[in-house]
Every structure is written in structure tokens, then in C-alpha cells.
């Protein structure tokens, strides 16, 4: 029997789309500043090795990297057109979700604007990463789920299954959303939808869509479990300590107030009784992350749902010029502060402060300079030995930088045991010459693996910004005692 709930209002398409478009323009205007993010350099190479899976991720983000390079050019801008478009679409979906949660046109507009200025959306929309698409898909899932629960129409489980399956091809953390909502449906309902055979049908569809990647993981002994173990083990204590306070920072303190209002509305508003599970799912997800030691941003999709839900009560409160001004000022202030911290707006020489708060800023700085240092190291290799010499890096960012900028200075390819770069090795056993070792500030024990290593040149980004590579070195080491095929398994690293 269909439950009678408050009707949906019309969609505020023009202002909501305009906000999304404005966000996209801002992101594209910033896209060429600083340079590639280390993860983008990795995804770019992964896009040249297309597969149904990778050691640390499903295939969707590398596919987007491949498309971005092919369509928009092999540059930071080329890789970042798609994230900007995805962020713009995320804002529009936020407006649609607000409509499903019975917000009027004003509530939809505020929901779109509030989501657009959050630190997480700005970061994910600026550079290509797995959260880029993950946030959009979580909001799409929440929108479909809201319609399903409002109408108590279990046939919506089929499109829901499709989107969940696509989300699994991007990032497995969507299972956190599925588990949290399923658990929340138990105490607050509506439980009737779970008794439908359409639930099983949706699950089959989701698994069917994700099955190529799941099979890849199975055939490769589930390397994602090793990666997840590293996240929850090596960084688990730190992740738990910062999880709760970072929930406020990734939306901005003023928007956190709207999130609190949204949580209260979802739990207490009778007109949204059908969506109460979405409110309960967020604290459920945070608790699960505290248990497993997951990263603070994994639950941002549900935090964005609270932000969307809280927009309409704030609009209702902001009657009159003064209160409206307060709300507008809060959104604008959040956008300015988050923009300065998340986007490359400052001159690169002045990025020290923003980098101290957001190290992802520094992860975009100094890659051409690193490759120039590697070229100096390569020149130190005797010319007669260069044909059998090998470049090895400590992490995928360094290897990705050499792949991108190395050909411009006549460097050969680099090898690394980090994440999926391990799968793209080892060097040929015919490489019996010296080893040029590239390490950031953390050597990961590589200088103990190789022998006779001496520093040829230090790595300096030229602007004094603290990064993982700043203060590192290029080392010239003796030839290996073992063949590369035998040595390679000892260099594998999942973190």
C-alpha cells in the first residue's frame, strides 16, 4: 500500500544548473595552475594499462583518465575537464535530491550552493581521483532511494542496483553506504521494501555490473584486501583520531550547522518519515569507519545528504533581509575559505599556508623539477652503461612523473614496486647495469635493498614547499646481485 507523503515541488532547474555551471567554470579556470597531482600521474599511466582491475582500485578512474587524455589532451587540464564536469553534475543531483526530500525551489538552490562550496567537492572536482565520481554516485543512489522509499515501489531497486554496480567499479566504499542504509532500515523502516523480491534482483544487477572487477580481484588473490589492511593498520590510529573533527572541516563549519539541521529534519520531520534511514545511516557509517580505521572522507556522500536535507529548514528560517544575508554570507565565506585551501588560487610561492592545512596542494608541485633532477642523475651514469641501467622509484607519483615528463628530456621509463606499478614491471633481466634510485623524504628501505648507493643530486621543487619529494634524492647504485625477476617480489609495496 502506497504511503501518502508531502508532494514534490517543481525542480529549480535554471538556478541549480547555473550553480553547477559556475562551479565547473571556476574549476576549469584553476585546472592548469600548479600541476598534476601525484595520483593523477598514476591514473594517467594506469589508463595506458587498461584492465578490469588494479591493485588498489577498480577500473573506472583509470578509464576516465584515458578518456580525458585522449579527448582533451595530455596535460593537467586535459585530465581535469572530466572532474569539473562531474562536480557540476554533483551539484545538480544535490538539487534533485533536495526535491525528493520535499524541499521547495529555495531549498533546492541552497542545497546546490551549499554542496558546491564544500572543501570535499572543490578538492574532488579540481583533480581526477576516485572520490570525484564516488560522491556523484552516492548522491544519485540517495536520490533513487528517496524516490523508492517515498513511493514504496521496490521496482526502483533495479536502477539502484545498476548505479551501485557502477559505483563498485569506481570505489568499493559504496558498500559502506549500502550497509549503513540497510542497517538503518531495520529500526526506522520502511521495512516492507526489504521483503520484496526486487531487492534480490537489484543485488544481482549490482553484482553483475561489478563482476568483471570482482573476478579480476579473485584471479589476482584480492590485492585490495592488502591495500585496505594497510589503510586500517598503518594509518588506522591516525584515521580514527581525525575522523570526527574532519567531518566539520570537509564541509566547512557554517555548512556543518546545516548538516546538523538536516540530520534533525530527517529524523524528526513526519513528512520525511520515509527517508529517516538516510539520517540514521550517516552516524552508522561514521561508527563503522571508527571500527575499521577508514579515512575521514569515506562517509562524505552521506554527509552531503544531510547538507541537502538541511537546506529547506534554513531557507524557512531565513525570512527577512538580515537572516537571508547571514545565510548568503555563510555560503560565500565557506566558498572563499575552502577555495583558498583546496584550489590552487594562491601563487605557488605562497602556497605554504594552504599546503600546511591541505597537503594535496603540495602533491601538485615540483614534478618537472623532480624529473630534471633525475636527468642530472642519468647523466652521471656512464654512457656505455645506460643501455642496461634501470630507473627505480619509491612511489607511483615519482614513476608517473618520469613517464609524463621523462620523454621530454630523453629519459627511459621508470619502474616501481608501489601499487599497480609493480604489475607493470619488472625490468628486463638484461638490465644488468647500475640502478638510478629516486626517493622522496621516505626511502622505504630502498637504499638498503641496493648496494653502493651514493647521492647524485637532491630533489628541490624550487619554491620551498614541503612535499613528500622535497629533500629527497637521486641515488646512483651498483648493479643488482640478483636478476630483476628474482629481486622484484621483494620490492612490492601496498602503502
Amino acid at each position: 500500500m502506497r504511503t501518502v507523503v508531502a508532494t514534490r515541488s517543481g525542480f529549480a532547474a535554471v538556478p541549480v544548473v547555473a550553480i553547477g555551471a559556475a562551479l565547473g567554470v571556476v574549476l576549469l579556470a584553476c585546472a592548469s595552475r600548479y600541476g598534476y597531482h601525484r595520483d593523477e600521474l598514476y591514473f594517467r599511466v594506469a589508463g595506458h594499462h587498461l584492465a578490469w582491475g588494479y591493485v588498489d582500485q577498480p577500473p573506472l578512474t583509470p578509464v576516465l583518465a584515458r578518456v580525458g587524455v585522449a579527448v582533451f589532451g595530455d596535460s593537467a587540464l586535459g585530465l581535469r575537464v572530466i572532474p569539473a564536469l562531474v562536480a557540476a553534475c554533483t551539484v545538480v543531483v544535490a538539487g534533485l535530491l533536495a526535491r525528493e526530500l520535499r524541499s521547495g525551489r529555495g531549498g533546492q538552490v541552497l542545497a546546490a550552493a551549499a554542496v558546491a562550496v564544500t572543501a570535499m567537492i572543490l578538492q574532488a572536482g579540481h583533480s581526477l581521483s576516485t572520490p570525484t565520481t564516488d560522491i556523484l554516485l552516492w548522491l544519485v543512489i540517495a536520490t533513487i532511494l528517496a524516490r523508492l522509499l517515498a513511493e514504496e515501489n521496490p521496482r526502483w531497486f533495479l536502477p539502484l542496483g545498476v548505479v551501485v554496480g557502477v559505483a563498485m567499479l569506481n570505489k568499493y566504499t559504496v558498500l559502506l553506504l549500502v550497509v549503513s542504509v540497510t542497517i538503518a532500515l531495520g529500526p526506522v523502516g520502511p521495512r516492507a521494501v526489504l521483503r520484496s523480491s526486487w531487492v534480490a534482483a537489484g543485488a544481482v544487477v549490482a553484482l553483475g555490473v561489478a563482476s568483471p572487477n570482482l573476478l579480476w580481484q579473485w584471479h589476482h588473490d584480492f590485492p585490495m584486501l592488502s591495500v585496505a589492511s594497510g589503510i586500517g593498520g598503518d594509518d588506522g590510529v591516525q584515521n580514527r583520531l581525525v575522523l570526527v573533527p574532519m567531518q566539520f572541516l570537509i564541509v566547512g563549519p557554517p555548512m556543518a550547522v546545516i548538516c546538523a539541521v538536516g540530520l534533525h529534519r530527517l529524523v524528526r520531520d513526519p513528512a520525511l518519515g520515509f527517508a529517516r534511514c538516510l539520517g540514521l545511516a550517516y552516524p552508522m557509517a561514521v561508527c563503522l569507519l571508527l571500527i575499521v580505521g577508514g579515512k575521514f572522507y569515506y562517509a562524505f556522500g552521506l554527509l552531503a545528504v544531510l547538507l541537502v536535507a538541511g537546506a529547506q529548514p534554513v531557507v524557512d528560517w531565513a525570512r527577512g533581509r538580515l537572516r537571508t544575508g547571514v545565510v548568503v554570507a555563510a555560503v560565500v565565506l565557506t566558498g572563499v575559505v575552502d577555495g583558498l585551501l583546496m584550489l590552487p588560487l594562491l601563487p605557488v610561492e605562497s602556497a605554504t599556508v594552504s599546503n600546511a592545512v591541505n597537503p594535496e596542494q603540495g602533491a601538485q608541485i615540483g614534478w618537472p623539477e623532480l624529473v630534471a633532477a633525475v636527468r642530472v642523475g642519468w647523466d652521471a651514469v656512464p654512457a656505455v652503461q645506460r643501455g642496461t641501467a634501470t630507473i627505480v622509484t619509491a612511489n607511483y607519483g615519482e614513476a608517473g612523473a618520469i613517464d609524463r615528463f621523462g620523454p621530454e628530456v630523453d629519459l627511459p621509463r621508470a619502474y616501481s614496486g608501489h601499487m599497480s606499478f609493480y604489475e607493470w614491471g619488472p625490468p628486463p633481466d638484461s638490465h644488468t647495469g647500475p640502478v638510478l634510485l629516486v626517493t622522496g623524504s621516505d626511502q622505504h628501505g630502498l637504499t638498503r635493498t641496493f648496494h653502493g648507493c651514493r647521492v647524485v643530486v637532491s630533489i628541490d621543487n624550487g619554491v620551498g614547499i614541503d612535499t613528500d619529494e622535497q629533500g629527497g634524492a637521486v641515488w646512483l647504485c651498483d648493479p643488482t646481485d640478483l636478476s630483476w625477476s628474482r629481486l622484484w617480489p621483494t620490492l612490492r609495496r601496498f602503502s
Side-chain angles (χ1 to χ4, degrees):
M1 181 177 179
R2 174 181 268 184
T3 301
V4 178
V5 296
T7 58
R8 291 183 296 273
S9 64
F11 179 47
V14 173
V16 167
V17 171
I19 294 170
L23 174 62
V25 169
V26 170
L27 293 172
L28 289 175
C30 300
S32 296
R33 293 177 59 83
Y34 294 7
Y36 293 91
H37 189 280
R38 70 170 61 253
D39 291 349
E40 290 177 306
L41 292 167
Y42 177 43
F43 296 139
R44 176 186 169 276
V45 179
H48 294 304
H49 297 270
L50 290 180
W52 278 113
Y54 300 85
V55 166
D56 52 340
Q57 64 189 302
L60 184 57
T61 301
V63 168
L64 294 179
R66 177 70 172 267
V67 172
V69 168
V71 176
F72 303 109
D74 194 3
S75 64
L77 174 61
L79 277 178
R80 291 171 176 174
V81 172
I82 290 177
L85 294 174
V86 170
C89 291
T90 302
V91 169
V92 174
V93 173
L96 290 169
L97 175 59
R99 178 174 180 262
E100 293 298 327
L101 295 179
R102 306 311 187 248
S103 294
R105 294 175 63 86
Q108 296 168 30
V109 172
L110 178 57
V115 169
V117 299
T118 58
M120 193 66 200
I121 289 294
L122 293 174
Q123 178 69 54
H126 169 60
S127 61
L128 182 63
S129 62
T130 49
T132 298
T133 311
D134 197 47
I135 298 168
L136 170 62
L137 294 172
W138 277 47
L139 288 182
V140 171
I141 290 169
T143 303
I144 296 174
L145 187 61
R147 175 67 66 91
L148 184 159
L149 296 173
E151 298 179 351
E152 293 190 15
N153 182 357
R155 288 181 175 84
W156 282 103
F157 276 113
L158 287 182
L160 190 65
V162 172
V163 182
V164 169
V166 173
M168 288 180 66
L169 290 176
N170 176 68
K171 195 173 179 67
Y172 298 130
T173 50
V174 70
L175 297 177
L176 176 67
L177 170 62
V178 173
V179 170
S180 299
V181 169
T182 302
I183 294 174
L185 279 169
V188 300
R191 292 180 291 275
V193 296
L194 295 177
R195 293 192 288 268
S196 170
S197 60
W198 289 99
V199 176
V204 169
V205 168
L207 291 173
V209 173
S211 61
N213 174 251
L214 297 176
L215 289 171
W216 186 95
Q217 285 286 330
W218 180 60
H219 283 299
H220 291 77
D221 297 323
F222 294 98
M224 270 300 301
L225 296 179
S226 298
V227 176
S229 176
I231 293 173
D234 297 343
D235 301 326
V237 173
Q238 179 181 351
N239 290 343
R240 292 181 178 93
L241 288 174
V242 303
L243 179 63
V244 173
M246 285 302 295
Q247 300 305 298
F248 297 94
L249 296 180
I250 57 177
V251 293
M255 299 303 102
V257 174
I258 301 180
C259 289
V261 172
L263 177 59
H264 181 269
R265 182 186 178 209
L266 285 171
V267 172
R268 303 293 296 177
D269 188 348
L272 293 183
F274 65 91
R276 193 165 291 143
C277 64
L278 289 175
L280 184 59
Y282 171 70
M284 186 69 65
V286 171
C287 289
L288 291 174
L289 289 174
L290 285 170
I291 292 171
V292 302
K295 294 184 180 295
F296 65 84
Y297 60 83
Y298 284 176
F300 175 79
L302 280 169
L303 192 58
V305 171
L306 301 187
L307 188 56
V308 168
Q312 185 59 51
V314 172
V315 168
D316 293 339
W317 171 83
R319 302 297 184 188
R321 183 175 300 176
L322 178 60
R323 291 185 176 183
T324 299
V326 170
V327 174
V328 171
V331 173
V332 172
L333 178 62
T334 300
V336 171
V337 173
D338 287 348
L340 289 172
L341 295 177
M342 299 297 125
L343 301 178
L345 297 176
L346 298 174
V348 66
E349 299 83 2
S350 305
T352 303
V353 175
S354 59
N355 183 60
V357 177
N358 174 29
E360 304 305 318
Q361 295 273 52
Q364 306 169 65
I365 295 170
W367 298 113
E369 290 76 13
L370 177 141
V371 174
V374 177
R375 178 67 238 194
V376 172
W378 188 250
D379 288 339
V381 178
V384 296
Q385 294 182 307
R386 289 177 192 166
T388 58
T390 305
I391 300 176
V392 176
T393 74
N395 65 53
Y396 60 55
E398 297 152 1
I402 294 171
D403 187 274
R404 171 61 183 86
F405 299 110
E408 298 175 4
V409 292
D410 297 322
L411 284 176
R413 66 169 289 189
Y415 298 85
S416 179
H418 190 207
M419 297 301 186
S420 283
F421 261 95
Y422 175 87
E423 303 292 330
W424 307 325
D429 284 340
S430 59
H431 281 205
T432 56
V435 176
L436 196 67
L437 193 59
V438 183
T439 69
S441 54
D442 190 341
Q443 300 174 17
H444 297 287
L446 285 177
T447 55
R448 295 193 299 270
T449 301
F450 299 96
H451 306 291
C453 298
R454 62 181 178 85
V455 174
V456 178
V457 60
S458 296
I459 298 171
D460 184 358
N461 54 43
V463 290
I465 301 298
D466 183 24
T467 70
D468 288 346
E469 276 61 48
Q470 183 73 350
V474 178
W475 310 70
L476 184 58
C477 306
D478 295 337
T480 62
D481 296 329
L482 300 175
S483 66
W484 281 107
S485 57
R486 294 180 61 188
L487 179 64
W488 198 240
T490 68
L491 300 180
R492 185 164 205 173
R493 189 165 65 86
F494 291 105
S495 62

